[in-house]
Amino acid sequence: MSIIQFLRILWARRILVLVALFAAVLGAFAVVSLVQPRFEATARVNMDILKQDPMGGGGVDVRNAGVYFDAQQELVKDYSVTGAVVDRLGWLSDPGRIRAYQGRAPTDTRDFRRWLAQQVADATTTAITSSTVLEITFRSANPVEGKNGADALRESFMAASLANKKNDAAKLAAWYNEQAEGLRKLAEEAETRKAAYEKETGIVMQSNDTDMDSGRLAALDAVEMPCTYG
């Protein structure tokens, strides 16, 4: 087929070509006008699982690293983190979001803060990169809000993670204190029984649980008597 024949075919179908071109331009204009732009910002947290935890006293077992990372990624979208992000971004006083909340479905009984926190969670994605790096990505129609949201997610996540470690350490310390208190009571009971035994028998026990006479005999046996030759 020559170029002349191609141009003749194109001219014969010029109406169809013009309609397709017009529809494509109109569709592109509608997309640009209606679809909001989306900006993504990323923040990273180094999850050093081999470093000893000052709160819990130990690192993460490498065999359980996958479970640990999954839990940390879930924590990023937890209300304890996303609620704090809502506060940091100032969304509670945003008139547009207030109007959107008032126009929500009647079946949605969430309070305003939780409703906004779910929006933060929906705009957030997480991934583990470089084996131990937690990557947090936040999407927004505003580039400044995207950056602030990613930074707020990282700071809120680190604060929530530290709070969880403190709570776990406090529970562990309380358990140890309870065990120590039980052992102290047992020691006091033993001392009480020892005192009653000494009072009853008249035998005074030393710290190594031997009576004084036996202790003296043991001390005499340990003394080396000098030998003299005539």
Side-chain angles (χ1 to χ4, degrees):
M1 178 183 296
S2 64
I3 187 66
I4 300 299
Q5 291 175 328
F6 176 76
L7 292 176
R8 287 176 179 174
I9 295 173
L10 188 63
W11 178 254
R13 293 173 173 79
R14 60 185 179 277
I15 297 178
L16 179 62
V17 173
L18 291 176
V19 171
L21 178 62
F22 178 77
V25 172
L26 183 62
F29 177 78
V31 170
V32 172
S33 301
L34 300 178
V35 176
Q36 293 184 348
R38 186 182 68 176
F39 299 91
E40 292 185 350
T42 301
R44 294 177 176 85
V45 180
N46 184 19
M47 312 292 290
D48 193 353
I49 62 175
L50 299 179
K51 185 177 180 180
Q52 185 172 3
D53 185 1
M55 296 293 180
V60 178
D61 191 345
V62 177
R63 294 170 296 181
N64 299 327
V67 177
Y68 172 75
F69 285 139
D70 290 343
Q72 296 305 301
Q73 291 185 78
E74 289 296 327
L75 178 60
V76 174
K77 297 184 179 183
D78 187 75
Y79 179 66
S80 61
V81 174
T82 55
V85 173
V86 169
D87 299 336
R88 289 174 180 265
L89 295 178
W91 284 7
L92 291 173
S93 58
D94 186 343
R97 288 184 168 84
I98 293 175
R99 288 193 298 270
Y101 176 72
Q102 292 172 348
R104 73 191 187 281
T107 56
D108 191 348
T109 59
R110 292 173 295 179
D111 59 67
F112 188 34
R113 190 170 185 264
R114 284 190 176 272
W115 185 77
L116 292 173
Q118 185 59 50
Q119 293 186 4
V120 174
D122 293 340
T124 302
T125 56
T126 59
I128 300 297
T129 62
S130 302
S131 300
T132 60
V133 176
L134 173 62
E135 188 176 84
I136 304 171
T137 302
F138 183 73
R139 302 183 303 275
S140 175
N142 187 305
V144 176
E145 185 181 72
K147 177 183 180 302
N148 293 338
D151 292 339
L153 277 166
R154 176 178 58 190
E155 294 173 5
S156 300
F157 163 74
M158 295 177 67
S161 180
L162 180 60
N164 289 341
K165 290 180 180 179
K166 286 183 176 180
N167 291 336
D168 293 341
K171 292 178 181 179
L172 188 61
W175 183 84
Y176 278 122
N177 289 336
E178 182 180 353
Q179 299 301 311
E181 180 64 19
L183 294 175
R184 186 188 64 80
K185 291 181 179 180
L186 290 176
E188 290 180 353
E189 293 175 359
E191 287 294 332
T192 301
R193 291 195 297 269
K194 176 182 175 182
Y197 174 77
E198 291 175 346
K199 183 177 180 180
E200 180 181 354
T201 61
I203 300 175
V204 179
M205 305 295 292
Q206 295 180 335
S207 59
N208 57 356
D209 291 338
T210 60
D211 60 87
M212 295 184 62
D213 293 336
S214 299
R216 290 171 182 170
L217 291 175
L220 290 175
D221 291 338
V223 174
E224 295 184 359
M225 300 299 294
C227 297
T228 58
Y229 298 93

